Amino acid sequence: MFENYNFRKYDLFLVLMCIAITSLGIVFIRSADEAYVHNQQQGLMLGIIAMVIVSLISYSFVLRFYWLIYAVSIGLLVAVRLFGETGGGAQRWFEVGGIRFQPSELVKILLILFYAEFIMKHKENINTIRIIAVSVLLIIPPTVLIFEQPDLSTTIMVLAIFAVVMFLGGLSWKVIGGVVAVGVPAFILALRYLMRDDVHIIKDYHKGRILAWLYPDEYASTEAYQTLNAITAIGSGQLSGKGINNNVVASVKNGNFISAAHTDFIFAVIGEEMGFVGCCLVIGLLFMIAIWCILIARRAKDVAGQIIAGGMGGLIGVQTFINIGVVTGLLPNTGLTLPFVSYGMTSLVSLFIGIGFVLNVKLQSPSGEYFEGEF
């Protein structure tokens, strides 16, 4: 469970980057809505403690219980389905002492751990129909349970994580090419079908978000309202922004025209208050964290370590891209938060737990093969 680690390989740079981006997030959460700052500060403290503890426990030991990890994931999602709190038409949370716990955020990390061990055990047969089929069947229950909450954004992220870990596990380019060749046309046809008025598989508000993305001017006062105001806020920040927590009357944020400013659309606040420079700083930090995780994956002692570190890098990178894509109008509104930056204690603590496992992967990497001379 506990190894004789070489603590000179403890990645303080990764730790400092995660703390720095979270601290920046708290600054902007304070500017967006000060009422949420205390909880996010608590989340940072809890996250750091959890990260340090997890980083000292051998991931190889944890992965021995990979079927239990999978069962816990399903159990949490079933429990929230049966007993969870309902808000905004969704049932995604447990209420504990006034603080909401969203199991699906932790499940994203647990699924990376589960597939890390599952794929390593079947590494030699990863491209066989049987193992691919089993892998797909295993991702269906958590995906369906999350989709039914309903939570389409996290459903998309779970599927993205699944794609990343399968790729890291050695899925053949022929298989990937075949899936893309079949999947892209099938997705377009399925989307056309789902958007029909007489089809109700996806919610009406999901259809509205897609239509607002395609025809923003026609939905400027309804579904496209958030995104168009976010784009205006970012553009108004120009190069250096209007200043953090400013009192400018012409501020989009100060006029309360940015919905969910402390969560999904916090990047709009960053753009308005710190301008292009601030946006680049945040994107750069998140990009560095994702790349650093991937570099650690390259030096992992085994396939499971590669999938854990690479999977976390993929999670942070993909979720960052989707969130910023939504805020800038490149993608339909999904409701995904910006990793480490947006308000959300469960998301923040879960991310730090994931980073703890990445740190442990590096601690167990072969000696003398790390980043010396690479930077």
Side-chain angles (χ1 to χ4, degrees):
M1 181 174 179
F2 296 99
E3 306 288 339
N4 293 320
Y5 300 125
N6 178 3
F7 285 97
R8 287 181 298 176
K9 291 194 292 185
Y10 200 90
D11 204 327
L12 292 178
F13 184 62
L14 178 58
V15 172
L16 290 174
M17 283 195 294
C18 293
I19 293 174
I21 191 65
T22 305
S23 299
L24 265 179
I26 291 172
V27 170
F28 291 109
I29 290 169
R30 183 186 300 278
S31 181
D33 193 331
E34 194 170 355
Y36 295 95
V37 170
H38 180 65
N39 281 351
Q40 194 73 350
Q41 289 172 334
Q42 286 185 323
L44 174 58
M45 293 299 103
L46 289 173
I48 292 172
I49 293 168
M51 175 186 67
V52 172
I53 293 172
V54 168
S55 70
L56 300 178
I57 301 174
S58 172
Y59 71 87
S60 300
F61 171 79
V62 174
L63 296 186
R64 293 179 191 175
F65 308 99
Y66 70 111
W67 282 113
L68 178 60
I69 291 171
Y70 183 79
V72 169
S73 300
I74 301 300
L76 285 170
L77 295 174
V78 170
V80 79
R81 180 72 175 166
L82 296 175
F83 311 111
E85 297 288 330
T86 302
Q91 192 171 358
R92 305 173 187 170
W93 308 273
F94 293 117
E95 193 83 29
V96 182
I99 296 175
R100 281 183 164 183
F101 166 62
Q102 187 173 350
S104 59
E105 292 293 337
L106 181 59
V107 166
K108 289 189 289 189
I109 310 300
L110 295 179
L111 286 174
I112 292 175
L113 297 177
F114 167 74
Y115 274 104
E117 183 67 10
F118 178 83
I119 292 172
M120 188 168 73
K121 284 187 173 295
H122 301 283
K123 172 68 176 175
E124 301 302 320
N125 302 311
I126 189 64
N127 289 298
T128 63
I129 294 176
R130 183 177 70 87
I131 296 303
I132 293 174
V134 172
S135 300
V136 171
L137 287 172
L138 287 168
I139 201 63
I140 290 174
T143 302
V144 171
L145 286 167
I146 292 171
F147 180 77
E148 290 295 324
Q149 290 180 354
D151 189 351
L152 182 59
S153 58
T154 305
T155 301
I156 292 170
M157 275 308 305
V158 167
L159 293 176
I161 289 167
F162 175 69
V164 168
V165 298
M166 291 296 288
F167 172 75
L168 293 171
L171 197 63
S172 167
W173 281 105
K174 292 181 180 179
V175 175
I176 295 171
V179 170
V180 171
V182 175
V184 172
F187 173 77
I188 294 172
L189 291 173
L191 187 61
R192 288 176 62 89
Y193 173 75
L194 293 171
M195 292 299 292
R196 288 171 46 178
D197 291 336
D198 60 334
V199 176
H200 303 286
I201 296 175
I202 61 174
K203 305 293 183 182
D204 288 340
Y205 70 87
H206 289 145
K207 295 180 182 180
R209 287 179 177 183
I210 295 171
L211 289 171
W213 170 60
L214 294 172
Y215 311 105
D217 292 338
E218 296 179 20
Y219 293 84
S221 61
T222 54
E223 283 86 352
Y225 180 83
Q226 284 178 277
T227 301
L228 292 176
N229 284 337
I231 293 170
T232 300
I234 293 171
S236 70
Q238 300 185 36
L239 180 62
S240 57
K242 299 174 180 176
I244 297 174
N245 202 21
N246 64 76
N247 294 316
V248 177
V249 176
S251 165
V252 180
K253 183 213 72 181
N254 292 343
N256 294 320
F257 293 112
I258 303 176
S259 303
H262 63 294
T263 54
D264 305 351
F265 281 77
I266 197 164
F267 191 74
V269 177
I270 296 168
E272 182 175 71
E273 297 193 339
M274 287 189 66
F276 180 75
V277 173
C279 289
C280 288
L281 175 62
V282 170
I283 293 172
L285 271 172
L286 288 168
F287 176 77
M288 277 295 297
I289 292 170
I291 292 298
W292 208 256
C293 290
I294 293 169
L295 289 173
I296 290 173
R298 290 180 57 199
R299 301 293 190 270
K301 71 175 184 179
D302 55 23
V303 172
Q306 292 171 6
I307 292 173
I308 289 172
M312 280 302 301
L315 185 160
I316 293 165
V318 171
Q319 190 161 324
T320 296
F321 172 78
I322 293 175
N323 176 273
I324 295 175
V326 167
V327 176
T328 55
L330 296 176
L331 297 171
N333 193 343
T334 61
L336 273 178
T337 56
L338 189 60
F340 295 105
V341 181
S342 296
Y343 172 76
M345 284 186 65
T346 309
S347 173
L348 184 59
V349 174
S350 297
L351 285 168
F352 271 102
I353 289 172
I355 293 297
F357 280 108
V358 175
L359 293 170
N360 188 260
V361 169
K362 182 172 180 181
L363 280 174
Q364 296 194 59
S365 63
S367 299
E369 294 188 13
Y370 250 86
F371 304 133
E372 294 87 355
E374 292 193 17
F375 297 98

